[in-house]
Amino acid sequence: MIPRMRTIQEAAAELRKIDPDTAVTPYRIRQLVLDGTIPHVRAGNKRLVNLDILLEYLAAAPAPEPDKPMYGQIRPIAEKGA
């Protein structure tokens, strides 16, 4: 099977075609590439990612557990006297 190699921008566009409401941005894909989570190939100044590997990674990513606290989010502050 021939790999479907895409630039980061093209991979993000393909994800938007598959899921118009996706929260995955080109910035996040670039982060995954730069930290080595998703393998890539350099072609001049461009970084090409295998779209199939990216989709497999996103499908296997665990969903956050609802009973654990979500760090890094804004929490409501109780009003004084309440």
Side-chain angles (χ1 to χ4, degrees):
M1 184 168 109
I2 298 173
R4 298 186 294 170
M5 302 301 284
R6 303 285 188 270
T7 64
I8 292 172
Q9 292 291 333
E10 291 170 345
E14 290 287 335
L15 285 175
R16 282 191 298 275
K17 284 182 190 175
I18 295 169
D19 179 13
D21 296 326
T22 187
V24 179
T25 62
Y27 178 78
R28 181 62 184 142
I29 297 171
R30 189 175 299 106
Q31 287 178 323
L32 293 171
V33 165
L34 293 177
D35 70 10
T37 304
I38 301 292
H40 69 282
V41 176
R42 296 280 314 243
N45 290 333
K46 297 179 182 180
R47 298 176 194 271
L48 301 177
V49 296
N50 185 328
L51 187 60
D52 298 321
I53 291 175
L54 176 63
L55 292 173
E56 286 175 17
Y57 171 80
L58 294 174
E65 297 180 26
D67 58 338
K68 290 190 177 180
M70 300 293 289
Y71 296 104
Q73 293 184 349
I74 297 176
R75 61 180 174 80
I77 298 176
E79 298 206 18
K80 291 184 179 184

